Amino acid sequence: MKNKILIAILLFTHALCYSQQKITWEDLAKVTYTDKFFPAYDDYFKHPDFSASVKALEGKKITITGYFLNIDPNGKLFMLSKGPMSACFFCGQGGPETAVELQFTNVKHFKTDNIVSMTGTLKLNASDVEHFNYILIECEGELVN
């Protein structure tokens, strides 16, 4: 009997260690911004200061649901947005915390504005203005019904 209990505890612990954490857009909203000058671009950009709770998500496998957007005519830049294309952050309807750059292991093509659940490893980006503040690497997605 003790062996069965021990095995059950080990299996439960293993599942917790390797499962992804589901997060919401409210989790990613815990960030503040200051304007920072980037000499290479001769311009100011919003520089994120991630909260401790957001920093704790870095490097973790997470799942988040949102609207899929293919924003590159060559099909090489994809993002997940809190809102549909007409209400995404670059249309003035939110900030950078309402979008996640998607870097796929195997690109799966969804239609713009499909509601999808994406799972991948979260990377925080505060210094490279050519990428989003939130990047989901090695991500995989599925349509939400």
Side-chain angles (χ1 to χ4, degrees), residues 54-65:
V54 172
K55 287 179 183 176
L57 295 171
E58 184 166 27
K60 301 265 173 67
K61 192 168 188 177
I62 59 117
T63 297
I64 186 166
T65 300

Side-chain angles (χ1 to χ4, degrees), residues 36 38 41 47-48 50 124-133:
K36 181 178 177 183
F38 286 81
Y41 297 93
H47 185 266
F50 302 108
L124 303 181
N125 173 35
S127 58
D128 186 350
V129 296
E130 294 189 10
H131 289 276
F132 291 37
N133 295 144

Side-chain angles (χ1 to χ4, degrees), residues 22-142:
K22 290 187 179 183
I23 66 166
T24 66
W25 292 102
E26 288 73 30
D27 295 319
L28 296 181
K30 296 173 184 168
V31 60
T32 56
Y33 298 95
T34 55
D35 288 335
K36 181 178 177 183
F37 185 74
F38 286 81
Y41 297 93
D42 193 31
D43 206 352
Y44 286 87
F45 292 91
K46 293 198 175 293
H47 185 266
D49 181 21
F50 302 108
S51 68
S53 62
V54 172
K55 287 179 183 176
L57 295 171
E58 184 166 27
K60 301 265 173 67
K61 192 168 188 177
I62 59 117
T63 297
I64 186 166
T65 300
Y67 292 88
F68 180 82
L69 302 179
N70 180 352
I71 56 175
D72 176 9
N74 297 320
K76 294 183 180 183
L77 182 59
F78 308 99
M79 67 181 264
L80 189 68
S81 175
K82 180 179 178 182
M85 178 69 106
S86 61
C88 67
F89 85 95
F90 52 81
C91 296
Q93 299 296 318
E97 71 280 357
T98 64
V100 176
E101 181 178 332
L102 303 173
Q103 296 180 355
F104 290 94
T105 33
N106 296 312
V107 176
K108 185 171 182 185
H109 294 281
F110 299 103
K111 292 181 182 177
T112 293
D113 287 342
N114 277 159
I115 298 174
V116 296
S117 232
M118 290 289 169
T119 300
T121 303
L122 184 64
K123 177 180 175 185
L124 303 181
N125 173 35
S127 58
D128 186 350
V129 296
E130 294 189 10
H131 289 276
F132 291 37
N133 295 144
Y134 297 115
I135 304 169
L136 205 55
I137 60 173
E138 300 175 353
C139 67
E140 296 177 349
E142 62 183 34

Side-chain angles (χ1 to χ4, degrees), residues 12-24:
F12 180 71
T13 306
H14 179 75
L16 286 177
C17 291
Y18 292 99
S19 64
Q20 72 272 6
Q21 180 178 351
K22 290 187 179 183
I23 66 166
T24 66

